[in-house]
Amino acid sequence: MIILGIDPALTITGYGVIQAKSNKLFLLEAGIIVTSPKEKIEKRLERIYSGIIKLISDTKPEVLVLEKLFAHYRHPTTSYILGQARGVICLATAVKNIRLVEYAATRVKKAVVGEGLASKVQVQRMVADLLNISSLPKYTDVTDALALAIAHSYIERPK
């Protein structure tokens, strides 16, 4: 199964594509989609949408995995902005007709690290270990996206 994990944001959207085959995980592609705060919001959202559409076309995943939206009452604007990026990603899954799955951050950490309150560093190290990555990616957005894909492979693994 080919799984695309996306860590959405308006400035840096991380992505990771893995293949889960015979209880083994293989890294196919990982990176970021970057937008500039100097651009208008509609251009930034279009850049994210186009990047996701191209990524889906190039990698042909069976499923796209997103982190469930967490809104903190002290930072309502953050969830509003994140919701816009998530919206165009969800639209891309509908346009490309692939399944969309969402998991809470604690569920992803529990599946990947074994602890729902694991730190970003613990998640990064476990992702690198599971995918045999010799050096950690520059952006945690990439390892967060890969963690989403890995978690889905564990949660959806045939029993």
Side-chain angles (χ1 to χ4, degrees):
M1 173 187 328
I2 296 177
I3 306 165
L4 169 57
I6 303 283
D7 182 31
L10 196 53
T11 303
I12 298 175
T13 292
Y15 65 85
V17 184
I18 66 167
Q19 182 173 26
K21 187 176 181 181
S22 303
N23 290 331
K24 292 184 182 175
L25 301 174
F26 303 94
L27 174 63
L28 301 180
E29 184 175 340
I32 57 174
I33 299 168
V34 180
T35 70
S36 171
K38 295 177 184 176
E39 292 178 306
K40 290 184 175 187
I41 185 72
E42 60 269 24
K43 181 63 180 166
R44 297 173 79 183
L45 292 172
E46 188 274 332
R47 186 180 308 272
I48 294 167
Y49 175 79
S50 296
I52 298 299
I53 288 289
K54 181 173 182 347
L55 191 56
I56 291 169
S57 294
D58 291 349
T59 62
K60 299 179 181 18
E62 295 171 45
V63 62
L64 186 146
V65 186
L66 282 175
E67 186 175 297
K68 282 188 179 175
L69 185 59
F70 172 77
H72 194 281
Y73 72 93
R74 290 186 185 174
H75 308 286
T77 305
T78 303
S79 59
Y80 168 74
I81 292 168
L82 182 59
Q84 292 177 322
R86 286 174 46 85
V88 296
I89 293 166
C90 293
L91 175 61
T93 63
V95 168
K96 296 303 275 183
N97 196 32
I98 65 167
R99 187 164 65 117
L100 174 66
V101 177
E102 298 177 278
Y103 297 115
T106 51
R107 179 102 191 258
V108 172
K109 291 175 182 181
K110 177 78 173 168
V112 174
V113 179
E115 172 57 50
L117 299 176
S119 71
K120 281 219 181 260
V121 172
Q122 288 173 305
V123 172
Q124 276 188 304
R125 289 186 178 148
M126 187 60 79
V127 166
D129 186 52
L130 290 169
L131 296 174
N132 297 313
I133 302 171
S134 56
S135 61
L136 294 176
K138 179 179 177 181
Y139 298 98
T140 58
D141 311 88
V142 174
T143 47
D144 288 350
L146 288 167
L148 285 159
I150 292 167
H152 181 73
S153 77
Y154 291 164
I155 293 166
E156 290 275 316
R157 181 178 291 170
K159 308 293 189 249

